[in-house]
Amino acid sequence: PDPSCGDGFAFAWIDATANAIGQAAATGSALGTPTNLAGGAVAADLFLNEENGDIVVPALQVRSFDTTQTTADYAFVVAHQAIDPFINKWRKIAISVRGDDVTVRYDGSLNPVLTGKVPSVAKSTVGLTAATGGLVSAAAVRNVHGRFYDCATP
């Protein structure tokens, strides 16, 4: 196997007003997200990168992107929760973003396993991303559902 891929994957939202489409994405620990843009992500992180605020892996993380940064070498992990390995199992991850509050539920739990704050953006580009790094892994995603509201409270 190629040892240059597989740090994890993320569901990310970035400021769409910044014209990020086509910008170079950061590899490895940044999981393919562009640097210096407002937004956030929920990541399934598999590789320990202490410079980014990683404490334990595998973990679910809330990541906050800083518009003043030009590289991915800063502490963008604002919340984390250790989880069982993702290996050979389908997992259900439910993400809610309201203003700057992010809530993550895992495997059908009604209670959040993770909460965090990220910069609020009025208009976002949303997507799934991953990047090369220090591990080998493959991720499959199915049954993606999205609901988008123009409000800060339910």
Side-chain angles (χ1 to χ4, degrees):
D2 180 357
S4 66
C5 62
D7 273 6
F9 63 94
F11 175 83
W13 56 97
I14 55 174
D15 186 355
T17 63
N19 195 20
I21 304 302
Q23 275 196 25
T27 60
S29 63
L31 302 179
T33 54
T35 58
N36 76 334
L37 296 174
V42 172
D45 193 7
L46 305 174
F47 191 82
L48 189 65
N49 295 287
E50 293 174 345
E51 69 276 11
N52 302 127
D54 286 358
I55 295 173
V56 64
V57 291
L60 285 176
Q61 300 173 337
V62 174
R63 294 176 169 208
S64 177
F65 303 135
D66 184 343
T67 59
T68 66
Q69 300 295 323
T70 57
T71 70
D73 296 328
Y74 67 97
F76 48 68
V77 176
V78 296
H80 71 280
Q81 176 64 50
I83 55 170
D84 292 334
F86 306 105
I87 299 170
N88 297 324
K89 289 185 178 181
W90 287 108
R91 301 292 190 171
K92 182 177 183 180
I93 301 171
I95 302 165
S96 172
V97 181
R98 298 278 187 186
D100 60 358
D101 293 311
V102 179
T103 303
V104 182
R105 290 176 176 77
Y106 185 66
D107 275 351
S109 172
L110 296 178
N111 297 320
V113 295
L114 190 58
T115 60
K117 294 215 179 267
V118 301
S120 180
V121 293
K123 185 176 178 183
S124 297
T125 299
V126 176
L128 296 166
T129 183
T132 59
L135 292 179
V136 174
S137 67
V141 177
R142 68 177 181 182
N143 298 331
V144 175
H145 303 275
R147 292 186 188 112
F148 302 91
Y149 303 96
D150 189 14
C151 60
T153 58

